[in-house]
Amino acid sequence: MLNSDIQIIDVSICENTDVNSIFSDVHLIPLETNRNSLVGLNIRKAEIYNGRIYLFNQMSSHSNILCFDLNGSFQFKIDRIGQ
């Protein structure tokens, strides 16, 4: 279904085009939104690894990592530095 290789395309230089002309397969995964999984001002990086979606999320006051399954259900977040 999903490949761990994520291709990044600079849309600021693209003219009006059909997504199907760029990608052979497109999946839209709506991410669960709740008070623990709010996406901030900027997603610094997105990765799919071992059946999970990880977002490096830039909030206004701090950064965190949000984890979702491939259906978009929120799993957990990492937002504290350990010892």
Side-chain angles (χ1 to χ4, degrees), residues 12-53:
S12 65
I13 62 172
C14 293
E15 307 229 357
N16 290 343
T17 188
D18 182 20
V19 172
N20 294 320
S21 68
I22 300 172
F23 302 103
S24 61
D25 196 14
V26 176
H27 296 273
L28 176 64
I29 303 172
L31 301 178
E32 176 184 352
T33 303
N34 62 45
R35 60 182 284 227
N36 292 316
S37 66
L38 293 178
V39 174
L41 300 172
N42 191 11
I43 298 298
R44 309 289 287 182
K45 189 171 185 179
E47 292 276 336
I48 297 175
Y49 180 75
N50 282 347
R52 291 186 170 158
I53 302 167

Side-chain angles (χ1 to χ4, degrees), residues 56-68:
F56 178 30
N57 182 34
Q58 180 69 51
M59 305 292 281
S60 59
S61 61
H62 68 285
S63 299
N64 60 24
I65 296 173
L66 301 175
C67 179
F68 300 87

